[in-house]
Amino acid sequence: NAGVTQTPKFQVLKTGQSMTLQCAQDMNHNSMYWYRQDPGMGLRLIYYSASEGTTDKGEVPNGYNVSRLNKREFSLRLESAAPSQTSVYFCASRGGAGGQNIQYFGAGTRLSVL
Amino acid sequence: AQSVTQPDIHITVSEGASLELRCNYSYGATPYLFWYVQSPGQGLQLLLKYFSGDTLVQGIKGFEAEFKRSQSSFNLRKPSVHWSDAAEYFCAVGPPSGGYQKVTFGTGTKLQVIP
């Protein structure tokens, strides 16, 4: 009963390095999301995927790219990390009986960019 | 545009005391409303949700929330707080179902429980 699994849990990067955050869900949900969480700012949507094969920008997409590899997996890539991307990143998927809009979250990836 | 306001950044209550966390939203129609809880170092867990019907909804861990359309509010309550309730609480709003739905989160209220 894994739900939403994110890897890695922690990561430290140097400015300019690249990395990919992985997310997988086993609930057969169509929609998946990437958020970042910063103190005092709540959760801000980076990118989302309404269904397999589609992706769209959220509120703060600059500096990020995403791939919806299949229905289960939705990855977030930082091509050239910047200190402003130091944050906690959460992946979520959405589903529920009758089309209910319930999001299920992973445990997060804590990223520091030096 | 939809928005959520949680006016209290930080609240401290004594164990056993009652709790009310405030949430106001802005949305053009009746939205879906949620409360999530986040324990330190963890992801967000759904406490309760309101979609339609009875405006007083019950959630997990003894929490409840009341939807008041006239006040555009969805406040979270608990009659007696336990030390394990110390966490950050997020209110969220989203449109009724139909395709992709963007959920907007408030900035959170951090709850401290003192003995």
Side-chain angles (χ1 to χ4, degrees):
Chain A
N1 193 19
V4 179
T5 303
Q6 291 183 236
T7 56
K9 294 190 186 306
F10 302 93
Q11 184 71 48
V12 179
L13 294 177
K14 294 180 180 179
T15 298
Q17 287 185 316
S18 62
M19 79 160 294
T20 299
L21 281 63
Q22 306 289 350
C23 176
Q25 52 96 5
D26 61 3
M27 295 174 283
N28 201 36
H29 290 165
N30 286 320
S31 301
M32 297 185 72
Y33 310 77
W34 276 105
Y35 292 89
R36 60 177 290 172
Q37 183 181 34
D38 302 290
M41 303 191 75
L43 276 77
R44 293 182 292 168
L45 183 64
I46 305 172
Y47 270 93
Y48 66 93
S49 171
S51 62
E52 184 179 355
T54 68
T55 61
D56 285 284
K57 296 178 181 179
E59 303 169 63
V60 289
N62 291 345
Y64 305 95
N65 285 299
V66 290
S67 295
R68 184 73 183 269
L69 305 170
N70 48 54
K71 192 170 187 179
R72 288 187 65 249
E73 298 172 290
F74 187 39
S75 62
L76 178 72
R77 182 161 178 83
L78 287 69
E79 291 291 351
S80 178
S84 61
Q85 294 178 304
T86 293
S87 187
V88 182
Y89 292 86
F90 288 100
C91 177
S93 68
R94 180 184 70 82
Q100 293 182 354
N101 191 10
I102 299 173
Q103 290 187 312
Y104 298 84
F105 286 82
T109 296
R110 284 146 186 83
L111 176 66
S112 293
V113 182
L114 306 178
Chain B
Q2 62 195 51
S3 66
V4 178
T5 301
Q6 293 181 249
D8 303 306
I9 296 172
H10 190 273
I11 283 183
T12 300
V13 299
S14 298
E15 190 169 14
S18 64
L19 172 70
E20 181 169 28
L21 302 182
R22 295 183 291 165
C23 173
N24 292 94
Y25 68 90
S26 173
Y27 188 71
T30 300
Y32 283 6
L33 294 160
F34 310 85
W35 275 100
Y36 286 87
V37 60
Q38 183 181 31
S39 298
Q42 301 298 313
L44 280 72
Q45 180 186 17
L46 182 68
L47 275 178
L48 49 77
K49 60 189 184 294
Y50 172 79
F51 291 157
S52 65
D54 192 346
T55 57
L56 183 64
V57 293
Q58 302 297 320
I60 62 172
K61 306 185 181 187
F63 285 92
E64 66 178 25
E66 186 172 13
F67 170 57
K68 293 186 177 180
R69 184 192 306 276
S70 61
Q71 299 177 18
S72 295
S73 69
F74 188 57
N75 294 348
L76 182 71
R77 301 193 294 248
K78 187 169 185 178
S80 178
V81 170
H82 188 263
W83 64 266
S84 60
D85 293 324
E88 191 159 18
Y89 293 80
F90 292 91
C91 181
V93 62
S97 61
Y100 163 73
Q101 294 113 49
K102 180 180 179 298
V103 176
T104 299
F105 288 83
T107 52
T109 297
K110 193 164 288 188
L111 173 65
Q112 181 182 9
V113 181
I114 56 177

